[in-house]
Amino acid sequence: MNAPRILLLPLTLLASAALLTGCTTATEPAAEPVTGGTLVYATGDAEPDCLDPHVGGNYPQALISTQYIESLVSKNADGEIIPWLATEWTPSDDGLTWDFTLRDDVTFTDGTPFDAEAVKTNIEHLKDPATASSTGYLAVGKIQTIEAVEPNLVRFGLSAPDSALLESLSQPWVGIQSPTALERDQAVNCESPVGTGPFVVTEWVKQQSIALERNDNYNSAPADAEHTASARLDAIEWRFIPDAATRFAALQSGDVDVIDNPQPNNIASAESDPAIAELDAPRPGASNRIELNSGKAPFDDERVREAFIRAVDVSPGIDTLFFGSAERSYSVLSSVELDGVALPNTFTVDPDAAKALLDDAGWDTTDADGYRTKDGVRLTLDFPVSTNQSIPAEQSLFEQIQSSAKDVGFEVKLNPTDLSSWYGALFTNEYNLVSAPYTKVGPDVLRTLYHSDSIIPAPSGYYANLAQLSDPTLDQLLTTASETSDVAERAALYKEAQSIIIEGFYVLPLYDQQNHYLYSTSVEGFRALPTVSAPTFYDAWLND
Amino acid sequence: MTDPSNAVADRPVPHPARLRSLGWLARRVGGGVFVLWMVATIIFFALRLIPGDPVDAILGGPGSQASAEAVAQIRLDYGLDQPLIVQYVVAMSKLVVADFGTSYALKVDVASYVLAQLWSTLVLTIASLVVAWVLALGVTFMTSGRGRGARGVGSALELLAAAVPHFWLASLLIILLSNMLNWLPPISVPGPLGLVLPVLTLALPLAGFLGQLMRESLANAYEQPFVLSARARGEGEWGVRLRHVLRHAALPGISLSGWAFGSLLSGAVVVETIFARPGLGRTLLSAVTIRDIPVVTAVALLSALTFLVVTVATDIIDRLVDPRVANQ
């Protein structure tokens, strides 16, 4: 159903233009925050299966759980770890024991006190196979023992030093929930999880909306919040509106106040609409990129990988298809990652050099259709595309890549599929090119994505190292970096690791993982939590 | 819905014909059960043939990096460690008692969840069918049996309406009625107001289709001797139209309504997604995407069952409107 949507583009543009003529000037923002009102948030991401982010652990869960569940630590806008439910932390000299001091004045919204036992229960819940956690499970992977030393002091014993521990614990998928609530049946906890957050889940009408009400006893705002005490909004109505054009129409008509996942053309038309504001909050972790499968021919030959990267011109496509809402990336890490390295010079486009590289690699004959061949075999690349994860603009970009690769002699076979079949193609190694999103806080995501351990499939069949990059030097760098607590040394190691990945032509970075929010200018104080850029409405208020 | 046996008994038909009708009904029901079983079987094997693993759906969607322990636990809990044929027999025997199991993704009882969604889709579908009939009858009656100009305009409108795809019509209606005129909300809201745009989206193309069909049989009916004799008896123009021509012209429309109902169900996938309405269509779409086998099975069986019931019902209505059908 995604493909025909692109036809709507001119229509939507037309409608936006028509609307602009009727626009009134925005009211001046109120000087003082106002208490009360219900904010309507419309999400285009998938509806979560479970509102407890420990179960599974994907971005739709992160989007909403930030409203009612809080983590031990957070991040500020500068990317530094700041206190949240934990006030301070000290690692032992060998990095194997971590003490976390907890706030002693916080209560879950069901009345259960927040303490060291609660933290212990939560980590155990994440590690319990019955929880079926994936993201949170990975985040606490190195935590071996959990000890409630004192009511407000919890001690983690690690299996190996983990320099990413704080970043891992800052993620919403490792949020702390009421132990009393966790004792309930999983289906019940999925419907009404209990945290310490500024809002409380009161009702979930499937495929429609989730009702959130203010927690009047809230006192645990993260250190970078604008105010303290309870939230200003009375309630949030969290609507599920899967269709992007409808979502934008609902924002324009005032039926909703904030939307996520807007289409690039909507972002562009919102720019000239004084009643709509935009928040660009790229997700951390990896950038959106195309991985070159080096685990099999033809990309097991570095010359062919380089030829592909020299052949395809990505930037003009990004400029035209994304209406200026996305910026070209030359890094495997998101632009919000402090240790990210951009190497634009590695990605210069040069079709002649590409042809020479292909000649050199033995792909020196051309068939009747203009594609390169070697020993009678055509230079073909399978590129399965998940239509659930790639928006129409991105799919069009892939088509442009296909066309510029053809000029040099590559046949790129784009194969749009549903999510299940897409993963099926990856599991069975039937791909040469693939674009897979990955969100995690911190540069340790490089270990998940490019350590050779990640070529071994998880029991579910998934493996994260889709470039199938297997390099002992890189493995060593990534392992050492994950065990190094010295900030500067760690950064240097990650920088070196990124050079190996980029200069070996394993990856073609495209842009940051797109995470834009459009909102009515009557909404004040709305921001994205810097950890994974999920929205937070704790400081927000409605000024009309 | 009229009880079929009563409906047949109401008619003064001779005994053998009545027996024939009961036999006809039994054959339809038996055939229906067979169709449902085939549907369930095909879904069961089709969902397991496509690449991937149902465990993905249970563990928070494909791509989850769950531990080996979690995967083993899930296989055991959901009986996925059993041979395929055992799983099939277990699944089918549960279907007999309407036990659809627990959703892989939502972790809720599938039967009650899907039934709750069915209501929303039925409201949408039935309202669309009614509106489509009203529109089709209105346009054909206004424009048929009159001058060539009126007929031309009517046909053109019907052709246009029948050709418009749902997703495009939906966007057009949103732009026109929500964004420009600000009459209706672009998203589904509780109450009848939120139903207007989704129903129009489904009803307009169907009305065009029904209209085209009825126009032909209307034109046909005007040529029939009974119209001439009715006129000869001194019946007025509207009397002729309502009492005689309509009955004749409605038949193909009624026969087609079973099919129309099925097409509305598939249209619901698009409409429910665009207007953010809960329902079977959206449930099916997301369940297929993440391979939530129990939910897909339940929705498909429920749709097949609804389709069968409606087909039988239209056959019965056909017989009531025109008893000659039963003797053919």
Side-chain angles (χ1 to χ4, degrees):
Chain A
M1 207 179 52
N2 271 329
R5 309 274 46 202
I6 202 155
L7 297 173
L8 295 182
L9 208 116
L11 265 181
T12 325
L13 285 176
L14 189 79
S16 319
L19 273 169
L20 277 177
T21 53
C23 272
T24 53
T25 49
T27 46
E28 285 296 306
E32 281 299 307
V34 182
T35 302
T38 298
L39 180 138
V40 186
Y41 181 94
T43 181
D45 232 310
E47 182 167 3
D49 297 328
C50 174
L51 301 185
D52 167 1
H54 289 190
V55 179
N58 59 16
Y59 204 76
Q61 288 173 304
L63 278 171
I64 187 166
S65 67
T66 317
Q67 320 311 321
Y68 48 81
I69 294 173
E70 299 180 306
S71 305
L72 289 178
V73 294
S74 188
K75 265 193 164 186
N76 64 15
D78 296 327
E80 298 156 348
I81 296 286
I82 55 168
W84 203 352
L85 290 178
T87 52
E88 49 190 291
W89 42 87
T90 23
S92 62
D93 287 341
D94 61 3
L96 291 175
T97 311
W98 284 70
D99 281 355
F100 282 83
T101 308
L102 309 173
R103 288 185 59 150
D104 55 7
D105 56 347
V106 178
T107 309
F108 292 101
T109 49
D110 63 356
T112 310
F114 165 76
D115 56 16
E117 280 297 336
V119 175
K120 185 172 193 281
T121 308
N122 272 269
I123 307 290
E124 282 167 354
H125 184 243
L126 282 163
K127 292 180 98 68
D128 183 356
T131 306
S133 173
S134 58
T135 314
Y137 172 85
L138 281 185
V140 300
K142 286 187 182 174
I143 300 179
Q144 215 164 29
T145 59
I146 316 128
E147 190 189 343
V149 183
E150 283 167 41
N152 68 335
L153 182 69
V154 69
R155 178 169 297 158
F156 296 148
L158 306 190
S159 55
D162 185 0
S163 65
L165 183 67
L166 292 172
E167 285 160 340
S168 296
L169 291 176
S170 78
Q171 301 182 119
W173 305 293
V174 198
I176 305 297
Q177 301 173 59
S178 159
T180 318
L182 285 180
E183 268 174 32
R184 300 173 300 172
D185 198 50
Q186 187 176 88
V188 178
N189 201 61
C190 277
E191 296 254 341
S192 58
V194 178
T196 57
F199 295 93
V200 182
V201 179
T202 51
E203 200 195 6
W204 182 7
V205 184
K206 297 273 163 65
Q207 298 182 32
Q208 187 81 34
S209 60
I210 295 170
L212 301 163
E213 274 172 29
R214 177 174 50 219
N215 166 15
D216 285 325
N217 301 317
Y218 183 72
N219 64 347
S220 47
D224 62 340
E226 194 189 280
H227 77 298
T228 50
S230 57
R232 288 144 176 172
L233 296 167
D234 286 340
I236 301 172
E237 186 191 338
W238 197 274
R239 291 258 348 212
F240 301 103
I241 305 184
D243 185 75
T246 312
R247 213 156 51 242
F248 188 59
L251 176 67
Q252 288 180 311
S253 67
D255 288 286
V256 307
D257 301 302
V258 184
I259 64 170
D260 61 29
N261 289 283
Q263 296 289 351
N265 59 307
N266 293 153
I267 299 173
S269 53
E271 235 162 63
S272 45
D273 187 339
I276 297 177
E278 189 212 341
L279 175 66
D280 180 4
R283 296 181 192 178
S287 59
N288 258 12
R289 70 232 172 270
I290 297 177
E291 312 269 9
L292 281 61
N293 180 355
S294 66
K296 65 173 193 176
F299 280 154
D300 53 353
D301 185 335
E302 185 179 329
R303 290 167 296 186
V304 183
R305 292 201 299 273
E306 184 178 352
F308 180 78
I309 288 191
R310 297 270 165 267
V312 298
D313 198 359
V314 179
S315 302
I318 294 178
D319 292 343
T320 51
L321 292 164
F322 285 82
F323 297 85
S325 65
E327 205 171 306
R328 173 72 199 270
S329 163
Y330 297 101
S331 169
V332 289
L333 290 183
S334 159
S335 66
V336 301
E337 291 297 346
L338 299 179
D339 293 335
V341 178
L343 297 172
N345 292 336
T346 319
F347 299 100
T348 45
V349 180
D350 187 345
D352 292 332
K355 285 174 187 161
L357 281 160
L358 287 180
D359 286 338
D360 194 29
W363 297 93
D364 49 5
T365 41
T366 306
D367 67 12
D369 296 321
Y371 296 114
R372 294 282 179 137
T373 53
K374 179 182 181 177
D375 305 330
V377 180
R378 183 182 276 188
L379 183 52
T380 299
L381 304 172
D382 287 315
F383 190 174
V385 175
S386 152
T387 51
N388 297 96
Q389 292 177 128
S390 283
I391 60 167
E394 187 168 274
Q395 291 173 44
S396 303
L397 180 67
F398 294 159
E399 282 162 18
Q400 296 196 354
I401 288 173
Q402 178 185 41
S403 138
S404 60
K406 188 187 173 180
D407 295 340
V408 172
F410 284 100
E411 183 190 28
V412 177
K413 279 189 174 164
L414 280 173
N415 182 20
T417 64
D418 68 277
L419 200 54
S420 287
S421 312
W422 183 75
Y423 276 109
L426 304 197
F427 296 168
T428 46
N429 200 18
E430 284 161 21
Y431 69 96
N432 303 106
L433 295 163
V434 70
S435 162
Y438 205 96
T439 302
K440 187 192 190 298
V441 175
D444 189 43
V445 69
L446 293 169
R447 196 167 52 94
T448 314
L449 294 176
Y450 300 108
H451 193 287
S452 62
D453 282 355
S454 300
I455 306 178
I456 303 161
S460 63
Y462 186 76
Y463 53 93
N465 186 346
L466 294 167
Q468 302 196 13
L469 208 168
S470 180
D471 180 339
T473 319
L474 178 65
D475 286 355
Q476 188 57 47
L477 280 170
L478 293 172
T479 306
T480 313
S482 78
E483 293 176 356
T484 305
S485 53
D486 183 274
V487 178
E489 200 184 325
R490 186 179 179 234
L493 289 166
Y494 280 129
K495 193 174 170 179
E496 211 181 322
Q498 288 173 77
S499 303
I500 292 180
I501 298 164
I502 293 176
E503 282 161 5
F505 305 102
Y506 295 98
V507 182
L508 178 62
L510 302 176
Y511 29 66
D512 280 333
Q513 289 189 67
Q514 297 297 293
N515 206 36
H516 298 262
Y517 301 93
L518 295 180
Y519 59 100
S520 154
T521 44
S522 63
V523 178
E524 299 281 347
F526 159 57
R527 67 175 183 130
L529 207 60
T531 50
V532 297
S533 300
T536 172
F537 294 102
Y538 166 61
D539 286 328
W541 83 93
L542 294 165
N543 72 7
D544 52 8
Chain B
M1 212 58 65
T2 329
D3 179 24
S5 54
N6 282 343
V8 175
D10 279 348
R11 304 205 65 80
V13 284
H15 193 61
R18 187 177 162 185
L19 270 184
R20 208 160 57 216
S21 288
L22 283 176
W24 166 83
L25 197 63
R27 275 199 307 280
R28 292 301 302 258
V29 171
V33 170
F34 179 74
V35 167
L36 287 180
W37 176 52
M38 289 310 291
V39 167
T41 303
I42 291 168
I43 293 165
F44 181 89
F45 287 105
L47 283 174
R48 281 163 177 82
L49 277 179
I50 45 179
D53 189 335
V55 174
D56 297 340
I58 306 170
L59 285 166
S64 67
Q65 303 189 355
S67 64
E69 292 85 358
V71 172
Q73 177 86 40
I74 295 293
R75 283 203 199 284
L76 199 67
D77 289 353
Y78 287 80
L80 294 169
D81 53 335
Q82 303 287 324
L84 199 57
I85 191 71
V86 175
Q87 291 184 41
Y88 172 72
V89 172
V90 169
M92 290 303 125
S93 56
K94 281 186 174 171
L95 288 186
V96 173
V97 289
D99 177 1
F100 291 93
T102 306
S103 158
Y104 287 174
L106 303 161
K107 328 278 186 222
V108 293
D109 178 57
V110 171
S112 51
Y113 177 74
V114 169
L115 268 183
Q117 304 304 326
L118 172 70
W119 175 243
S120 169
T121 302
L122 274 186
V123 169
L124 176 71
T125 312
I126 292 168
S128 303
L129 196 60
V130 170
V131 170
W133 266 97
V134 170
L135 287 174
L137 284 176
V139 174
T140 41
F141 262 89
M142 288 307 160
T143 58
S144 68
R146 297 182 188 251
R148 186 180 285 192
R151 234 185 5 248
V153 170
S155 306
L157 277 178
E158 284 157 10
L159 190 67
L160 186 68
V164 168
H166 287 138
F167 77 89
W168 191 77
L169 180 60
S171 305
L172 204 67
L173 289 173
I174 288 179
I175 290 169
L176 201 70
L177 297 176
S178 294
N179 277 3
M180 288 182 170
L181 299 171
N182 219 351
W183 287 349
L184 292 160
I187 46 172
S188 156
V189 294
L193 207 61
L195 204 58
V196 178
L197 288 183
V199 165
L200 276 183
T201 304
L202 286 180
L204 282 173
L206 183 59
F209 204 80
L210 285 175
Q212 279 180 318
L213 200 75
M214 283 195 281
R215 177 175 307 278
E216 206 170 302
S217 36
L218 266 180
N220 215 338
Y222 278 113
E223 321 259 301
Q224 298 287 319
F226 61 75
V227 171
L228 196 66
S229 71
R231 288 211 167 107
R233 284 199 306 273
E235 201 151 351
E237 181 60 29
W238 282 105
V240 169
R241 286 188 180 206
L242 290 176
R243 259 188 293 281
H244 301 279
V245 177
L246 172 63
R247 187 160 170 151
H248 190 84
L251 258 182
I254 295 170
S255 303
L256 205 78
S257 289
W259 165 85
F261 201 83
S263 85
L264 287 174
L265 282 178
S266 61
V269 177
V270 175
V271 166
E272 285 167 356
T273 305
I274 293 183
F275 293 103
R277 245 187 95 75
L280 282 190
R282 256 174 93 189
T283 305
L284 182 64
L285 188 68
S286 62
V288 167
T289 308
I290 55 165
R291 198 188 303 259
D292 194 341
I293 294 171
V295 174
V296 176
T297 311
V299 174
L301 282 181
L302 203 61
S303 309
L305 180 68
T306 317
F307 188 68
L308 284 170
V309 169
V310 170
T311 318
V312 174
T314 46
D315 281 356
I316 291 168
I317 297 171
D318 262 1
R319 287 162 173 240
L320 294 179
V321 174
D322 187 351
R324 284 176 304 175
V325 172
N327 297 319
Q328 276 164 11

